[in-house]
Amino acid sequence: EEQGPALYKCDPAGHYVGYRACAAGAKEQEALNFLQNKFKPGEGSPVELSEQDTVQTTIAALQSVLSADFKPEEIEVAVVS
């Protein structure tokens, strides 16, 4: 909490690890590959994203993994904080 929000992923065995970006579900590996390419260290990748940039990155990851273009009326985004 002292350093701001953090993201952790917990596996079924109870082990947890902190991440900069994470994915889960049927196409998890494809999404993780997209995120790894987006956040490669040393290539000008941002340390922190704004809320708007986070939403845009999420939609871009979905479009890439699902090979689909979303129209604004086809997608809803909720931000929980």
Side-chain angles (χ1 to χ4, degrees):
E1 289 182 31
E2 295 174 8
Q3 297 178 355
L7 174 65
Y8 293 92
K9 184 174 181 181
C10 184
D11 67 17
H15 299 100
Y16 62 93
V17 179
Y19 287 94
R20 290 180 65 195
C22 189
K27 295 197 174 195
E28 177 179 349
Q29 191 56 52
E30 291 91 336
L32 289 173
N33 291 340
F34 176 88
L35 294 169
Q36 281 180 333
N37 289 332
K38 177 76 174 170
F39 294 107
K40 281 186 181 174
E43 293 189 12
S45 65
V47 175
E48 292 185 22
L49 294 175
S50 68
E51 183 177 304
Q52 183 66 28
D53 290 339
T54 302
V55 170
Q56 292 298 325
T57 301
T58 303
I59 293 170
L62 284 170
Q63 288 176 327
S64 174
V65 169
L66 299 175
S67 300
D69 288 329
F70 295 114
K71 296 176 186 168
E73 62 271 2
E74 295 177 336
I75 189 166
E76 291 184 30
V77 176
V79 177
V80 179
S81 59

